[in-house]
Coordinates of all heavy atoms in Angstrom, one line a residue:
P12 N 17.9 40.2 17.5 CA 17.9 38.8 17.1 C 18.9 38.4 16.2 O 19.5 39.2 15.3 CB 16.6 38.6 16.4 CG 16.0 40.0 16.1 CD 16.7 40.9 17.0
M13 N 19.4 37.1 16.1 CA 20.5 36.6 15.4 C 19.9 35.7 14.2 O 18.8 35.2 14.4 CB 21.4 35.7 16.2 CG 21.9 36.5 17.4 SD 23.0 37.8 16.9 CE 24.5 36.9 16.3
P14 N 20.4 35.6 13.2 CA 20.0 34.9 12.0 C 19.6 33.4 12.3 O 18.8 32.7 11.7 CB 21.1 34.9 10.9 CG 21.8 36.1 11.3 CD 21.7 36.2 12.8
S15 N 20.3 32.8 13.3 CA 20.1 31.4 13.7 C 19.0 31.2 14.7 O 18.7 30.2 15.2 CB 21.3 30.7 14.1 OG 21.8 31.5 15.3
D16 N 18.4 32.2 15.2 CA 17.5 32.2 16.3 C 16.2 31.5 16.0 O 15.6 31.7 14.8 CB 17.1 33.7 16.9 CG 18.3 34.2 17.7 OD1 19.2 33.4 18.1 OD2 18.2 35.5 18.1
R17 N 15.6 30.9 17.0 CA 14.2 30.3 16.9 C 13.4 31.2 17.8 O 13.7 31.4 19.0 CB 14.2 28.9 17.3 CG 13.0 28.3 17.3 CD 13.0 26.9 18.0 NE 13.8 26.1 16.9 CZ 13.7 24.8 16.9 NH1 13.0 24.1 17.8 NH2 14.5 24.1 16.0
C18 N 12.3 31.7 17.3 CA 11.4 32.8 18.0 C 10.1 32.3 18.2 O 9.5 31.6 17.4 CB 11.5 34.1 17.2 SG 13.2 34.6 16.8
L19 N 9.5 32.7 19.4 CA 8.1 32.4 19.6 C 7.5 33.8 19.9 O 8.0 34.6 20.7 CB 7.9 31.6 20.9 CG 6.6 31.5 21.4 CD1 5.6 30.8 20.5 CD2 6.5 30.7 22.8
I20 N 6.3 34.0 19.2 CA 5.6 35.2 19.5 C 4.2 34.8 20.0 O 3.5 33.9 19.4 CB 5.4 36.0 18.2 CG1 6.7 36.5 17.6 CG2 4.5 37.3 18.5 CD1 6.6 37.1 16.3
V21 N 3.9 35.2 21.2 CA 2.7 34.9 21.8 C 1.6 36.1 21.7 O 1.9 37.2 22.2 CB 3.0 34.7 23.4 CG1 1.7 34.3 24.1 CG2 4.0 33.6 23.5
G22 N 0.6 35.7 21.1 CA -0.4 36.7 20.9 C -0.1 37.7 19.7 O -0.1 38.8 19.9
G23 N 0.2 37.2 18.6 CA 0.7 37.9 17.6 C -0.3 38.7 16.8 O 0.0 39.7 16.0
S24 N -1.7 38.6 16.9 CA -2.7 39.2 16.3 C -2.5 39.4 14.7 O -2.7 38.3 14.1 CB -2.7 40.6 16.9 OG -3.9 41.3 16.5
T25 N -2.1 40.6 14.3 CA -2.0 40.8 12.8 C -0.8 40.0 12.2 O -0.9 39.8 10.9 CB -1.9 42.1 12.5 OG1 -0.7 42.7 13.0 CG2 -3.0 43.1 13.0
G26 N 0.1 39.6 12.9 CA 1.3 38.9 12.4 C 2.5 39.8 11.9 O 3.5 39.4 11.4
Y27 N 2.2 41.1 12.2 CA 3.3 42.1 11.8 C 4.6 41.7 12.4 O 5.6 41.7 11.7 CB 2.8 43.5 12.1 CG 3.8 44.5 11.6 CD1 3.8 44.9 10.3 CD2 4.7 45.1 12.5 CE1 4.8 45.9 9.9 CE2 5.7 46.0 12.2 CZ 5.7 46.5 10.8 OH 6.7 47.3 10.4
S28 N 4.6 41.5 13.7 CA 5.9 41.3 14.4 C 6.5 39.9 13.8 O 7.6 39.9 13.7 CB 5.7 41.0 15.9 OG 5.2 42.3 16.4
A29 N 5.7 38.9 13.6 CA 6.1 37.6 13.1 C 6.7 37.9 11.7 O 7.9 37.2 11.4 CB 4.9 36.6 13.0
A30 N 6.1 38.6 10.8 CA 6.7 38.9 9.5 C 8.1 39.4 9.6 O 9.0 39.1 8.9 CB 5.7 39.8 8.7
I31 N 8.2 40.6 10.5 CA 9.5 41.3 10.6 C 10.5 40.2 11.1 O 11.6 40.2 10.6 CB 9.4 42.5 11.6 CG1 8.4 43.5 10.9 CG2 10.7 43.1 11.8 CD1 8.7 44.1 9.6
L32 N 10.2 39.5 12.1 CA 11.2 38.6 12.7 C 11.6 37.5 11.7 O 12.7 37.0 11.8 CB 10.6 37.9 14.0 CG 10.9 38.7 15.2 CD1 10.2 38.1 16.4 CD2 12.4 39.0 15.6
S33 N 10.6 37.0 10.9 CA 10.9 35.9 10.0 C 11.9 36.4 8.9 O 12.7 35.6 8.3 CB 9.7 35.5 9.2 OG 9.3 36.4 8.3
M34 N 12.1 37.7 8.7 CA 13.1 38.1 7.7 C 14.6 38.2 8.3 O 15.5 38.4 7.6 CB 12.8 39.4 7.2 CG 11.4 39.4 6.4 SD 11.1 41.0 5.6 CE 10.4 42.0 6.9
C35 N 14.7 37.9 9.7 CA 16.0 38.2 10.3 C 16.3 37.1 11.2 O 17.3 37.0 11.9 CB 16.2 39.5 10.9 SG 15.0 39.9 12.2
T36 N 15.5 36.0 11.2 CA 15.8 34.8 12.1 C 15.5 33.5 11.3 O 14.9 33.6 10.3 CB 15.0 34.9 13.5 OG1 13.5 34.8 13.0 CG2 15.3 36.1 14.2
Q37 N 16.0 32.4 11.9 CA 15.7 31.2 11.2 C 14.3 30.7 11.3 O 13.8 30.1 10.1 CB 16.6 30.2 11.9 CG 16.6 28.8 11.2 CD 17.6 27.7 11.8 OE1 18.5 28.2 12.5 NE2 17.3 26.5 11.6
E38 N 13.6 30.7 12.4 CA 12.3 30.2 12.6 C 11.5 30.9 13.5 O 12.0 31.6 14.5 CB 12.3 28.7 13.3 CG 12.9 27.7 12.5 CD 13.0 26.3 13.2 OE1 12.0 25.7 13.1 OE2 14.0 26.0 13.9
V39 N 10.2 31.3 13.1 CA 9.3 32.0 13.9 C 8.1 31.1 14.1 O 7.4 30.7 13.1 CB 9.0 33.4 13.2 CG1 7.9 34.1 14.1 CG2 10.2 34.3 13.1
Y40 N 7.6 31.0 15.4 CA 6.3 30.4 15.7 C 5.4 31.5 16.3 O 5.8 32.2 17.2 CB 6.7 29.3 16.8 CG 7.3 28.1 16.2 CD1 8.8 28.3 16.2 CD2 6.9 27.0 15.5 CE1 9.6 27.2 15.6 CE2 7.6 26.1 14.9 CZ 8.9 26.1 15.0 OH 9.7 25.2 14.3
L41 N 4.2 31.5 15.9 CA 3.2 32.4 16.3 C 2.2 31.7 17.0 O 1.5 30.9 16.4 CB 2.7 33.3 15.1 CG 1.5 34.2 15.3 CD1 1.9 35.3 16.3 CD2 1.1 34.8 14.0
L42 N 1.8 32.1 18.2 CA 0.7 31.5 19.0 C -0.3 32.5 19.1 O -0.1 33.5 19.6 CB 1.2 31.0 20.3 CG 0.2 30.5 21.2 CD1 -0.5 29.2 20.7 CD2 0.9 30.1 22.6
E43 N -1.6 32.1 18.6 CA -2.6 33.1 18.7 C -3.8 32.3 19.3 O -3.9 31.1 19.1 CB -3.1 33.5 17.3 CG -4.1 34.7 17.3 CD -3.8 35.8 18.2 OE1 -2.8 36.6 18.0 OE2 -4.6 36.0 19.2
S44 N -4.7 33.0 20.0 CA -5.8 32.4 20.8 C -7.1 32.6 20.0 O -8.0 31.7 20.2 CB -5.9 33.0 22.2 OG -6.2 34.4 22.1
I45 N -7.2 33.5 19.1 CA -8.5 33.8 18.5 C -8.4 33.3 17.0 O -7.5 33.7 16.3 CB -8.7 35.2 18.5 CG1 -8.8 35.7 20.0 CG2 -10.1 35.5 17.9 CD1 -8.7 37.2 20.1
E46 N -9.2 32.3 16.7 CA -9.2 31.6 15.4 C -9.4 32.7 14.3 O -8.7 32.7 13.2 CB -10.1 30.5 15.3 CG -9.5 29.3 14.7 CD -10.4 28.1 14.8 OE1 -10.8 27.7 16.0 OE2 -10.7 27.5 13.7
N47 N -10.3 33.5 14.5 CA -10.6 34.6 13.4 C -9.4 35.5 13.0 O -9.1 35.7 12.0 CB -11.8 35.5 13.7 CG -13.1 34.7 13.7 OD1 -13.1 33.6 13.1 ND2 -14.1 35.2 14.4
T48 N -8.8 36.0 14.1 CA -7.6 36.8 14.0 C -6.5 36.0 13.4 O -5.8 36.4 12.4 CB -7.1 37.3 15.3 OG1 -8.1 38.0 16.0 CG2 -5.9 38.1 15.2
S49 N -6.4 34.7 13.6 CA -5.3 33.9 13.1 C -5.6 33.6 11.5 O -4.6 33.6 10.9 CB -5.4 32.5 13.8 OG -4.3 31.7 13.2
A50 N -6.9 33.5 11.1 CA -7.2 33.3 9.8 C -6.7 34.6 9.0 O -6.2 34.5 7.8 CB -8.6 33.0 9.5
E51 N -6.9 35.7 9.6 CA -6.5 36.9 8.9 C -5.1 37.1 8.7 O -4.5 37.5 7.7 CB -7.0 38.2 9.6 CG -8.4 38.5 9.3 CD -8.9 39.8 10.2 OE1 -8.0 40.7 10.4 OE2 -10.0 39.9 10.5
S52 N -4.4 36.8 9.8 CA -2.8 36.9 9.8 C -2.3 35.8 9.0 O -1.2 36.0 8.3 CB -2.3 36.9 11.1 OG -2.6 35.7 11.9
L53 N -2.9 34.8 8.9 CA -2.4 33.6 8.1 C -2.4 34.0 6.6 O -1.4 33.7 5.9 CB -3.2 32.4 8.2 CG -2.7 31.1 7.5 CD1 -1.4 30.7 8.0 CD2 -3.7 30.0 7.7
E54 N -3.3 34.7 6.1 CA -3.3 35.3 4.9 C -2.2 36.3 4.5 O -1.6 36.1 3.5 CB -4.6 35.9 4.5 CG -4.7 36.6 3.1 CD -4.7 35.5 2.0 OE1 -5.2 34.3 2.2 OE2 -4.3 35.8 0.9
H55 N -1.9 37.0 5.5 CA -0.9 38.0 5.5 C 0.5 37.3 5.6 O 1.5 37.8 4.9 CB -0.9 39.2 6.5 CG -2.1 40.0 6.4 ND1 -2.4 40.9 5.4 CD2 -3.2 40.0 7.3 CE1 -3.5 41.4 5.7 NE2 -4.1 40.9 6.7
L56 N 0.7 36.2 6.3 CA 1.9 35.7 6.6 C 2.3 34.6 5.5 O 3.3 33.9 5.7 CB 2.0 35.1 8.0 CG 1.8 36.1 9.1 CD1 1.6 35.4 10.4 CD2 3.1 36.9 9.0
K57 N 1.5 34.2 4.5 CA 1.7 33.1 3.6 C 3.0 33.4 2.8 O 3.5 32.3 2.3 CB 0.5 32.8 2.7 CG 0.3 34.0 1.7 CD -0.9 33.5 0.9 CE -1.3 34.7 -0.1 NZ -2.5 34.3 -0.8
H58 N 3.5 34.4 2.8 CA 4.9 34.8 2.1 C 6.0 34.8 3.0 O 7.2 35.0 2.6 CB 4.7 36.1 1.3 CG 3.5 36.1 0.4 ND1 3.5 35.3 -0.8 CD2 2.4 36.8 0.5 CE1 2.4 35.6 -1.4 NE2 1.7 36.4 -0.6
F59 N 5.9 34.5 4.2 CA 7.0 34.5 5.3 C 7.1 33.2 5.9 O 6.2 32.3 5.8 CB 6.6 35.6 6.4 CG 6.5 36.9 5.9 CD1 5.2 37.4 5.4 CD2 7.7 37.8 5.7 CE1 5.1 38.9 5.0 CE2 7.5 39.0 5.2 CZ 6.3 39.5 4.8
R60 N 8.3 32.9 6.6 CA 8.6 31.7 7.2 C 8.0 31.7 8.6 O 8.7 32.0 9.6 CB 10.0 31.4 7.2 CG 10.7 31.2 5.9 CD 12.2 30.9 6.1 NE 12.7 31.7 7.2 CZ 13.6 32.7 7.2 NH1 13.9 33.1 6.0 NH2 14.0 33.3 8.1
V61 N 6.7 31.6 8.8 CA 6.1 31.6 10.1 C 5.1 30.4 10.3 O 4.4 30.1 9.4 CB 5.3 33.1 10.4 CG1 4.5 33.0 11.8 CG2 6.1 34.3 10.1
Q62 N 5.3 29.7 11.4 CA 4.6 28.6 11.7 C 3.5 29.1 12.7 O 3.8 29.6 13.8 CB 5.3 27.5 12.4 CG 6.5 26.9 11.7 CD 5.9 26.0 10.4 OE1 4.8 25.5 10.6 NE2 6.5 26.1 9.4
Q63 N 2.2 29.0 12.3 CA 1.2 29.6 13.2 C 0.3 28.5 13.9 O 0.0 27.5 13.3 CB 0.3 30.5 12.2 CG -0.6 31.3 13.0 CD -1.4 32.3 12.1 OE1 -1.6 32.0 10.9 NE2 -1.6 33.5 12.5
Q64 N 0.1 28.7 15.1 CA -0.7 27.8 15.9 C -1.8 28.4 16.6 O -1.7 29.6 17.1 CB 0.2 27.2 16.9 CG 1.5 26.4 16.4 CD 1.0 25.2 15.6 OE1 0.1 24.5 16.1 NE2 1.8 24.8 14.6
I65 N -2.9 27.8 16.9 CA -4.1 28.3 17.7 C -3.8 27.6 19.1 O -3.8 26.4 19.1 CB -5.5 28.0 17.1 CG1 -5.5 28.5 15.6 CG2 -6.6 28.5 17.9 CD1 -5.4 30.1 15.6
G66 N -4.0 28.4 20.2 CA -3.9 27.7 21.5 C -4.1 28.7 22.6 O -4.4 29.9 22.3
I67 N -4.0 28.2 23.8 CA -4.1 29.1 24.9 C -2.8 29.8 25.3 O -1.7 29.1 25.4 CB -4.4 28.2 26.2 CG1 -5.9 27.5 25.9 CG2 -4.6 29.0 27.5 CD1 -6.3 26.4 26.9
L68 N -2.9 31.0 25.2 CA -1.5 31.9 25.3 C -0.7 31.5 26.5 O 0.4 31.4 26.5 CB -1.9 33.3 25.2 CG -2.5 33.9 23.9 CD1 -2.7 35.4 24.0 CD2 -1.8 33.4 22.8
E69 N -1.6 31.4 27.6 CA -0.8 31.1 28.9 C -0.1 29.7 29.0 O 1.0 29.6 29.7 CB -1.8 31.1 30.0 CG -2.4 32.4 30.4 CD -3.6 32.8 29.5 OE1 -3.9 32.1 28.5 OE2 -4.3 33.8 29.9
N70 N -0.4 28.8 28.0 CA 0.2 27.5 28.0 C 1.5 27.7 27.1 O 2.4 26.7 27.2 CB -0.7 26.5 27.3 CG -1.7 26.1 28.4 OD1 -1.9 26.5 29.4 ND2 -2.8 25.5 27.8
G71 N 1.6 28.7 26.3 CA 2.9 28.7 25.5 C 2.9 27.7 24.4 O 1.8 27.1 24.0
L72 N 4.0 27.4 23.9 CA 4.2 26.5 22.8 C 5.5 25.6 22.8 O 6.4 25.7 22.1 CB 4.3 27.3 21.5 CG 3.7 26.6 20.2 CD1 2.3 26.0 20.2 CD2 3.8 27.6 19.1
A73 N 5.5 24.9 24.0 CA 6.7 24.2 24.4 C 7.2 23.2 23.3 O 8.4 22.8 23.3 CB 6.6 23.5 25.8
Q74 N 6.3 22.6 22.6 CA 6.6 21.4 21.8 C 7.6 21.8 20.6 O 8.2 21.0 20.1 CB 5.4 20.8 21.1 CG 4.6 21.5 20.2 CD 3.4 22.4 20.7 OE1 3.6 22.6 22.0 NE2 2.3 22.4 20.2
F75 N 7.7 23.1 20.4 CA 8.7 23.5 19.2 C 9.9 24.2 19.9 O 10.8 24.7 19.1 CB 8.0 24.5 18.3 CG 6.9 23.9 17.6 CD1 5.5 24.2 17.8 CD2 7.1 23.0 16.6 CE1 4.5 23.8 17.1 CE2 6.0 22.4 15.9 CZ 4.8 22.7 16.3
G76 N 10.0 24.4 21.1 CA 11.1 25.0 21.8 C 12.4 24.1 21.8 O 12.3 23.0 21.2
P77 N 13.5 24.5 22.3 CA 13.7 25.7 23.0 C 13.7 27.0 22.1 O 14.1 26.8 20.9 CB 14.9 25.6 23.8 CG 15.7 24.7 22.9 CD 14.7 23.7 22.3
Y78 N 13.4 28.1 22.6 CA 13.5 29.4 21.9 C 14.6 30.4 22.3 O 15.0 30.3 23.5 CB 12.1 30.1 22.1 CG 10.9 29.3 21.6 CD1 10.0 28.7 22.6 CD2 10.7 29.1 20.2 CE1 9.0 28.0 22.2 CE2 9.6 28.4 19.8 CZ 8.7 27.8 20.8 OH 7.6 27.0 20.4
D79 N 15.2 31.0 21.3 CA 16.2 32.0 21.7 C 15.6 33.4 22.0 O 16.2 34.1 22.7 CB 17.1 32.2 20.5 CG 17.8 30.8 20.1 OD1 18.5 30.3 20.9 OD2 17.5 30.3 19.0
L80 N 14.4 33.6 21.6 CA 13.7 34.8 21.7 C 12.3 34.6 21.9 O 11.5 33.8 21.1 CB 13.9 35.7 20.6 CG 13.2 37.0 20.5 CD1 13.8 38.0 21.6 CD2 13.4 37.8 19.1
I81 N 11.6 35.2 22.9 CA 10.2 35.1 23.1 C 9.6 36.5 23.2 O 10.0 37.2 24.1 CB 9.8 34.2 24.3 CG1 10.3 32.8 24.3 CG2 8.3 34.3 24.6 CD1 10.1 32.0 25.5
L82 N 8.6 36.8 22.4 CA 8.0 38.1 22.3 C 6.5 37.9 22.8 O 5.8 37.1 22.1 CB 8.0 38.7 21.0 CG 7.4 40.0 20.7 CD1 7.9 41.1 21.6 CD2 7.4 40.5 19.2
V83 N 6.2 38.6 23.9 CA 4.8 38.5 24.3 C 4.1 39.8 23.7 O 4.3 40.8 24.1 CB 4.7 38.4 25.9 CG1 3.2 38.3 26.2 CG2 5.3 37.2 26.4
D84 N 3.3 39.6 22.7 CA 2.7 40.6 21.9 C 1.2 40.7 22.2 O 0.5 41.5 21.7 CB 2.9 40.3 20.4 CG 2.8 41.5 19.6 OD1 2.8 42.6 20.1 OD2 2.8 41.4 18.3
G85 N 0.8 39.8 23.1 CA -0.7 39.8 23.4 C -0.8 39.8 24.9 O 0.1 39.6 25.7
G86 N -2.1 40.1 25.5 CA -2.4 40.1 26.8 C -3.2 38.8 27.3 O -3.7 38.1 26.5
S87 N -3.3 38.8 28.5 CA -4.1 37.7 29.2 C -5.0 38.3 30.3 O -4.6 39.2 31.0 CB -3.1 36.7 29.9 OG -3.7 35.8 30.5
V88 N -6.1 37.8 30.3 CA -7.1 38.3 31.1 C -7.3 37.3 32.3 O -7.4 36.2 32.2 CB -8.5 38.4 30.5 CG1 -9.6 38.9 31.5 CG2 -8.5 39.4 29.3
S89 N -7.0 37.8 33.5 CA -7.2 37.0 34.7 C -8.5 37.3 35.5 O -8.9 38.4 35.5 CB -5.9 37.2 35.6 OG -5.8 38.5 36.2
S90 N -9.0 36.3 36.1 CA -10.3 36.5 36.8 C -10.1 36.6 38.3 O -9.1 36.2 38.8 CB -11.3 35.3 36.4 OG -10.8 34.2 36.5

């Protein structure tokens, strides 16, 4: 990643990846589908430059794009 990069992490769970990326990029957006997990990671991420959103992982987070880097850190269940 480059210092000027805008990053999206899909399914970040604990927020570890988001925290690391926030130290070497300009902006990090974390999309999580589970509110409880998001609350936990929000506590851990309050010292980092990470914008956290709750939503459907498959829909992405287009409103803050375009992104220079997209990391898919979670999975999707198909029926």
Side-chain angles (χ1 to χ4, degrees):
M13 303 296 290
S15 61
D16 282 354
R17 177 181 297 197
C18 306
L19 170 65
I20 300 177
V21 179
S24 188
T25 63
Y27 181 79
S28 300
I31 297 297
L32 275 176
S33 76
M34 292 188 280
C35 57
T36 61
Q37 182 176 342
E38 294 178 86
V39 176
Y40 294 88
L41 173 61
L42 176 61
E43 186 53 66
S44 63
I45 303 169
E46 225 169 304
N47 292 341
T48 302
S49 183
E51 279 182 30
S52 63
L53 186 58
E54 180 64 28
H55 297 292
L56 294 173
K57 66 183 179 184
H58 304 290
F59 297 93
R60 294 182 327 252
V61 176
Q62 300 290 326
Q63 195 170 32
Q64 302 289 321
I65 304 292
I67 299 170
L68 300 183
E69 291 85 351
N70 291 347
L72 205 55
Q74 66 265 35
F75 298 110
Y78 301 102
D79 301 297
L80 175 68
I81 298 175
L82 173 63
V83 180
D84 204 10
S87 173
V88 177
S89 61
S90 49

